[in-house]
Every structure is written in structure tokens, then in C-alpha cells.
Amino acid sequence: MKFKSVILDFDGTIADVVELAVKCTNQLSRKYKFEKIKLNTNLRNKELRKILRENLQLRFYKIPRFLKEVKQLFRKEISTVKIFPGIKSVLKNLNKSTKIIILTSNDKDIVESILKHNKIIIPQIYTSKSLFSKKSSLKKCLKEHNLKKSQVVYVTDEIRDLKTCNKMNIKTAAVSWGFNTIESLKRYNPNYIINKPKDLLKLIK
């Protein structure tokens, strides 16, 4: 199927940030009084909402401040973040014929910094203010680019994105190299499974 635009999540889909995110999270364990988390299958089978509630046991009102501090720590080591192998060439090829849009819950300056460091140019970057759903940001993105739902596919490594797209009737492609395990992602019925970055080219073209 030919899509007019591919919308991509950033963390865990384009950039390999998971280990650094866990490291920054654990640096705040004493301050927020939770046990340090381990990047294992149990953790990777959960969506972010459950990790914050069950593993970190954070009260809802503490989450915005906590995430702000995580990002502050993250910024200090931003130069160490790598793009997943094969992604750069795929984005370059897609850019020739398809509109590429990044939609992320990360901060725009962090995304731009990582892309610049890795010599990748993607002008269209949207950030979601809502941590648990990108619905409003997706609507805004489609409207500003005059795109119909049937003309886009959302590529992600996270359960929360699949749930949002399912509610909006937007096609999804789940990648196997990000945060959530492919087994946990399959439970939310993605339209496509992407095991290698180059497979995304086959899907789009």
C-alpha cells in the first residue's frame, strides 16, 4: 500500500534511548523513593502509565515534575544517543517520495539535537503535551498537512501509541527493536510488523 505520509514516533523507534532513559530514571530513585527499575521483559511488556504507577509508585501530581527532571538528566548525556542501525538510510530514501513526520512526547529541542548530531534532517516535528495519548496532536498534524487518516501510517514501538491509533482508525506499524516487546505490541493488533528498518521501505513503497 502506498501511503502519502509516514508518521514516526521518535524514542525507541528512531533513536535508541531506552537504556539512557532507564539510567536517568534510576538516578532519581532516592529522591522519589522508589526501587531502581531493571530493563527486563516484565518491564518491556508494560505501557508507560503502568510503569509510573506500579513500578515507580508515583502519584499523578508528581509525574510532570518527575519527567521534567528525567529530561534534565537526559540532556546531559544527549550526545551519547545513537540512531538505530539502518534507520538513517531508510529515512533518506523515504524522504524522496513520502512526507515524513515525527510525533513524539519528547521535547522538540531534544529531538532536534539528536537528529542534528546524527546528521538527519526532518523539519516536521510535532510534540504531544499529553503523556498518555497523542490523539489531539495527531489530529492537529493531519489537519495542518491536509492528510486523511487513510493516507498515513503511524510507526511506533509503544503500546500507548497503538491504543491511540486504534481509537482513531489510523493504520499502525509496530517495530520490534524499541521499548515494548513485539509480543506485547501484537496484543493491540498493529496493521504491520516491522522487524528491520528496511522493511519500512517495502511497506511504504
Side-chain angles (χ1 to χ4, degrees), residues 103-138:
L103 175 56
T104 177
S105 54
N106 206 336
D107 289 351
K108 189 174 182 179
D109 67 295
I110 290 178
V111 175
E112 288 176 334
S113 179
I114 294 172
L115 290 176
K116 183 178 180 181
H117 183 73
N118 287 276
K119 299 179 180 179
I120 297 175
I121 300 174
I122 300 179
Q124 304 299 333
I125 300 173
Y126 287 77
T127 57
S128 175
K129 294 181 180 180
S130 174
L131 179 63
F132 303 119
S133 174
K134 296 175 182 173
K135 185 176 180 179
S136 60
S137 298
L138 263 172

Side-chain angles (χ1 to χ4, degrees), residues 18 22 30 103 179:
V18 177
V22 169
R30 180 175 294 182
L103 175 56
F179 176 69

Side-chain angles (χ1 to χ4, degrees), residues 18-19 21-23 25-26 34-46 51 55-56 179:
V18 177
E19 289 189 4
V22 169
K23 177 183 176 181
T25 295
N26 285 335
F34 61 80
E35 292 187 12
K36 292 182 178 181
I37 56 176
K38 295 181 180 179
L39 189 57
N40 53 28
T41 302
N42 179 56
L43 190 74
R44 295 180 64 227
N45 279 334
K46 294 183 178 182
I51 293 173
N55 296 80
L56 307 189
F179 176 69

Side-chain angles (χ1 to χ4, degrees), residues 2-166:
K2 175 68 176 180
F3 291 101
K4 190 173 181 180
S5 177
V6 55
I7 304 175
L8 297 109
D9 180 36
F10 187 74
D11 300 323
T13 300
I14 295 176
D16 188 359
V17 304
V18 177
E19 289 189 4
L20 179 55
V22 169
K23 177 183 176 181
C24 294
T25 295
N26 285 335
Q27 288 178 20
L28 296 170
S29 61
R30 180 175 294 182
K31 180 176 181 179
Y32 285 89
K33 300 179 181 180
F34 61 80
E35 292 187 12
K36 292 182 178 181
I37 56 176
K38 295 181 180 179
L39 189 57
N40 53 28
T41 302
N42 179 56
L43 190 74
R44 295 180 64 227
N45 279 334
K46 294 183 178 182
E47 61 179 303
L48 181 60
R49 186 195 302 266
K50 288 189 176 181
I51 293 173
L52 292 170
R53 185 178 66 242
E54 297 174 3
N55 296 80
L56 307 189
Q57 297 184 340
L58 290 176
R59 294 184 180 275
F60 188 78
Y61 72 89
K62 288 186 177 182
I63 291 176
R65 187 181 68 181
F66 169 77
L67 292 176
K68 182 178 180 180
E69 292 185 35
V70 169
K71 289 176 181 178
Q72 288 173 343
L73 294 170
F74 191 95
R75 282 184 172 87
K76 294 179 181 179
E77 299 189 53
I78 200 169
S79 62
T80 67
V81 175
K82 304 293 184 184
I83 299 299
F84 284 107
I87 287 290
K88 185 175 180 178
S89 61
V90 166
L91 293 176
K92 185 177 180 180
N93 273 280
L94 284 176
N95 218 10
K96 296 176 182 178
S97 58
T98 308
K99 182 186 292 292
I100 299 177
I101 299 169
I102 290 176
L103 175 56
T104 177
S105 54
N106 206 336
D107 289 351
K108 189 174 182 179
D109 67 295
I110 290 178
V111 175
E112 288 176 334
S113 179
I114 294 172
L115 290 176
K116 183 178 180 181
H117 183 73
N118 287 276
K119 299 179 180 179
I120 297 175
I121 300 174
I122 300 179
Q124 304 299 333
I125 300 173
Y126 287 77
T127 57
S128 175
K129 294 181 180 180
S130 174
L131 179 63
F132 303 119
S133 174
K134 296 175 182 173
K135 185 176 180 179
S136 60
S137 298
L138 263 172
K139 284 184 176 180
K140 178 181 178 181
C141 178
L142 294 174
K143 183 177 180 180
E144 290 188 0
H145 292 278
N146 195 28
L147 292 166
K148 297 178 181 179
K149 293 179 181 180
S150 60
Q151 294 176 317
V152 305
V153 58
Y154 191 89
V155 184
T156 184
D157 68 309
E158 287 198 67
I159 292 169
R160 56 178 171 161
D161 293 337
L162 295 182
K163 291 172 71 173
T164 296
C165 289
N166 287 344

